[in-house]
Amino acid sequence: GGGGGGGGGCEWVELATSGPAVKRAHHSGGVVSDATLLIFSGQDETLITRRTLSSLDLRTAAWSSVPLPTDTPPHPSPRIDGAAAAVRGVGLVVFGGVGEDFGFVPPADAWLLRGGEDVRPPRRLALPSKAQAAGGAGGAPDGPFPVGPPARACLGLCADGLTLHCFGGFDGEADLNDLGSLNL
C-alpha cells in the first residue's frame, strides 16, 4: 500500500518466493487476476532465450511452471525484448520482440496467454481488416495495420479495459513513434 505521491508512504518490499526458481531478463509479464502474475519467455542466467510461462501466486508467493503447447504449431515463439499487457480477468497479451535467431518476431505471433493450461487460441490475435482481405489498401496513417503493428522490439504495450495500445519500439533501423490499438 502507500499514499501515492509526496514524501512518504511508498516503499519497495522484497518478497520471499518459493517454488522453481525463475531467473529472467528481457522477459515480459503482468498481473492477470487478483492473485496471479504471469512471466513469459526471456533469457535465463545462461543468456539462452527460453520459451516458458511461469506463474506466481501472489497470495502464497509460490512459483509454478505453466505448460505451453508444443504439439503442433502455431504456438508462442520464445522471445526477448517483447512487450506484454495484462488484461485483468482475461490474460496476458504478448507481442513483438526478438526470437531465438535474433530476428524480429512477426506481428502474427501475438498471443493471449490465460494461465493454467488455457494458452490457446491457435490463431492470430488480430486478423487483416476486411478491406485488406478483399485486396484493398491498409497500413496507411489512421488506417488498419495489415496484421498488427510492424515487427519491433523494445516497445510499449498497455491495456485499457479490453483495448490494447502498442506504442513505438525499434524495428532494426529506427526508433518508432506509431500507435496502434486493438479491441479484444
Side-chain angles (χ1 to χ4, degrees):
C10 295
E11 65 182 63
W12 286 99
V13 176
E14 184 174 356
L15 303 174
T17 61
S18 63
V22 178
K23 295 180 180 179
R24 288 289 181 269
H26 307 280
H27 57 280
S28 52
V31 176
V32 297
S33 69
D34 288 338
T36 304
L37 168 69
L38 293 178
I39 300 293
F40 178 69
S41 206
Q43 287 181 332
D44 68 11
E45 63 274 12
T46 66
L47 304 180
I48 301 296
T49 301
R50 300 292 182 183
R51 189 174 79 83
T52 58
L53 182 62
S54 299
S55 176
L56 178 66
D57 184 318
L58 297 171
R59 293 175 300 231
T60 64
W63 285 104
S64 61
S65 180
V66 178
L68 286 166
T70 57
D71 47 356
T72 57
H75 47 70
S77 297
R79 63 193 74 199
I80 60 172
D81 296 334
V87 181
R88 197 128 181 103
V90 176
L92 184 72
V93 174
V94 293
F95 180 82
V98 175
E100 292 173 296
D101 62 356
F102 293 102
F104 286 95
V105 174
D109 194 353
W111 286 83
L112 173 62
L113 305 175
R114 295 189 174 119
E117 294 186 16
D118 183 11
V119 295
R120 303 264 177 180
R123 63 172 177 80
R124 296 178 191 157
L125 244 176
L127 298 173
S129 70
K130 291 177 184 170
Q132 292 159 338
D142 296 327
F145 286 118
V147 175
R152 65 195 60 215
C154 307
L155 60 142
L157 186 67
C158 63
D160 180 14
L162 293 176
T163 302
L164 297 173
H165 302 285
C166 171
F167 176 74
F170 180 71
D171 68 0
E173 295 182 18
D175 289 337
L176 305 170
N177 69 348
D178 56 349
L179 175 67
S181 293
L182 173 67
N183 290 315
L184 296 176

